[in-house]
Amino acid sequence: MGEVKTAIGLMSGTSMDGIDIGLLRTDGESVVHHGPSGYFPYDATLRATWQKALVTAKSIRERKERPQDLAEAERILTLAHAATVKSFLHRHGLAADEIDIIGFHGQTVLHRPDDGLTVQIGDGPLLAEETGIAVVYDMRANDMVHGGQGAPLIPVYHAALAANLPEQFETPAVFVNIGGISNLTYIGESGELAAFDSGPGNMLIDQWIEAHTGKAYDKGGATAARGAVVPSLVERYMESPFFSSNIRRSLDRSDFMPPATGEVSLEDGARTLAHLTGAAILKSASYLPEGAKTYVVCGGGRLNPVIMHEFATQAATLGAKVIAAEDAGFDGGAMEAEAWAYLAVRSLRGLPLTYPGTTGVREPVTGGVFARNV
């Protein structure tokens, strides 16, 4: 075992709804202790800033470019994360000098794996300066330099958690993170890792709800619960080459779009997209080395009962059970943030963050850029 570090992870995902934060004590191999966690939502002004940044980022051709107002968006985002760290520390009676490292994901504004290009805005040195804590950031880029897709990065943390999966759950088990984009991680009996993005998660539902109601998401699945699945719409999405290709690839927000306005009712659209989330996961899971018996769900999608019902109903026809991470003793809301804390410690030790079976990288590689606190 290496030296145990106290690390904070910060994650702002493709849903762009807020910042997840989690504290972890780990040596980058075993998880020693799960600390407190939290969620700090973005207000409407910040969400509008990120939406505008997505449009601006389409012109980027080199990872470090910050055209037009993207540099200012990056500064605003970094300061929002710094404020989150300070608030979190104050809330839990912690001091900055008790934290060894921050793992900072930033906000993905462009992801084009076929072009070897991924852009997460977030100024690591500024975050270190504002918090007084060293930072590891930009953890996806080195994977792409070595031929990987740059995503998903969380599987190595899922593998650490799988070592403590309660015995009552049948294996093989697959961890499913339902964020804006869903991804899954298979851990074999011998520790074999296989992972990839599985399709749209909350992203399409969130976009559909916001476009029609102005709300950021379908709280409690209330809108979807009043609707019905439109099979022809599901079939259209499932005809995407993403699901039929033998090559697994990571996704960008723009790879799937919500239905056209007026194509279906608000309620039917939400229900159909909830069904699609489960269908996409199971179709993508068919490319795993063997079928899952248990799906452990983390991320915001586990809080939408309609998504969970649709996923569980479809999985049952294949003889598999779907459970929320909490049913396995984990914190499904903090898992991605904890993963970024774990990855930061691995980065400090030069341990691999990605593997050929997770991102398609040529060989296991580490990653991340270190920013010293001042």
Side-chain angles (χ1 to χ4, degrees):
M1 177 182 284
E3 182 183 357
V4 174
K5 302 284 188 181
T6 300
I8 281 176
L10 293 166
M11 180 68 194
S12 179
T14 49
S15 294
M16 300 194 300
D17 54 356
I19 300 167
D20 289 311
I21 183 168
L23 187 146
L24 199 69
R25 284 184 52 77
T26 178
D27 64 350
E29 295 179 88
S30 300
V31 176
V32 175
H33 175 70
H34 298 271
S37 61
Y39 170 71
F40 293 76
Y42 292 136
D43 60 26
T45 300
L46 285 177
R47 287 200 304 274
T49 298
W50 314 148
Q51 293 288 352
K52 187 176 180 181
L54 291 175
V55 176
T56 302
K58 290 179 181 179
S59 67
I60 292 177
R61 295 293 178 270
E62 196 277 323
R63 191 169 54 84
K64 295 183 179 180
E65 289 180 24
R66 297 293 184 267
Q68 301 175 40
D69 53 1
L70 200 58
E72 177 62 10
E74 182 169 54
R75 188 187 75 84
I76 292 170
L77 177 127
T78 304
L79 294 177
H81 279 72
T84 294
V85 171
K86 292 173 185 178
S87 178
F88 178 80
L89 293 177
H90 177 74
R91 180 181 296 178
H92 296 288
L94 297 167
D97 60 9
E98 295 179 74
I99 310 301
D100 296 301
I101 194 72
I102 293 173
F104 180 28
H105 178 270
Q107 182 66 60
T108 299
V109 293
L110 185 72
H111 189 68
R112 294 177 179 161
D114 294 341
D115 299 328
L117 179 62
T118 188
V119 180
Q120 287 74 44
I121 59 171
D123 186 333
L126 177 59
L127 182 62
E129 178 183 344
E130 288 288 323
T131 61
I133 304 168
V135 173
V136 173
Y137 66 108
D138 202 12
M139 291 195 225
R140 298 187 187 276
N142 195 49
D143 177 79
M144 281 194 161
V145 169
H146 291 84
Q149 294 270 310
L153 265 66
I154 197 173
V156 68
Y157 183 57
H158 285 157
L161 293 179
N164 297 311
L165 190 68
E167 292 182 1
Q168 70 263 34
F169 297 112
E170 290 187 78
T171 57
V174 172
F175 283 77
V176 181
N177 177 58
I178 304 180
I181 293 168
S182 296
N183 55 68
L184 46 82
T185 302
Y186 163 92
I187 302 101
E189 295 291 339
S190 61
E192 175 193 3
L193 276 177
F196 37 76
D197 284 354
S198 57
N202 301 319
M203 177 180 67
L204 295 181
I205 303 172
D206 291 349
Q207 291 172 345
W208 179 253
I209 293 295
E210 185 167 16
H212 290 79
T213 71
K215 298 177 182 178
Y217 63 101
D218 185 14
K219 187 174 182 179
T223 303
R226 298 194 300 270
V229 176
V230 180
S232 60
L233 185 55
V234 175
E235 291 169 10
R236 193 178 77 204
Y237 278 110
M238 297 305 294
E239 288 172 356
S240 167
F242 173 79
F243 296 112
S244 58
S245 173
N246 287 325
I247 299 174
R248 300 293 86 207
R249 59 182 292 273
S250 57
L251 289 167
D252 183 52
R253 285 179 60 90
S254 61
D255 287 330
F256 289 90
M257 301 301 292
T261 300
E263 185 174 0
V264 291
S265 71
L266 168 63
E267 293 81 5
D268 288 356
R271 185 58 176 256
T272 300
L273 295 173
H275 179 93
L276 173 67
T277 297
I281 292 166
L282 293 170
K283 176 60 179 177
S284 292
S286 68
Y287 293 94
L288 292 171
E290 56 183 319
K293 291 294 185 183
T294 304
Y295 288 97
V296 182
V297 183
C298 59
R302 81 193 193 291
L303 301 177
N304 184 318
V306 179
I307 288 178
M308 291 295 283
H309 171 77
E310 290 288 346
F311 182 22
T313 300
Q314 295 174 67
T317 66
L318 301 175
K321 185 176 182 180
V322 173
I323 62 170
E326 286 75 9
D327 295 330
F330 306 129
D331 185 338
M335 197 177 290
E336 273 202 290
E338 288 179 351
W340 244 254
Y342 183 78
L343 291 167
V345 176
R346 288 184 70 85
S347 177
L348 289 178
R349 294 186 58 193
L351 297 172
L353 307 188
T354 56
Y355 297 81
T358 63
T359 65
V361 68
R362 289 188 291 271
E363 59 188 11
V365 295
T366 192
V369 179
F370 179 76
R372 188 176 301 278
N373 56 316
V374 293

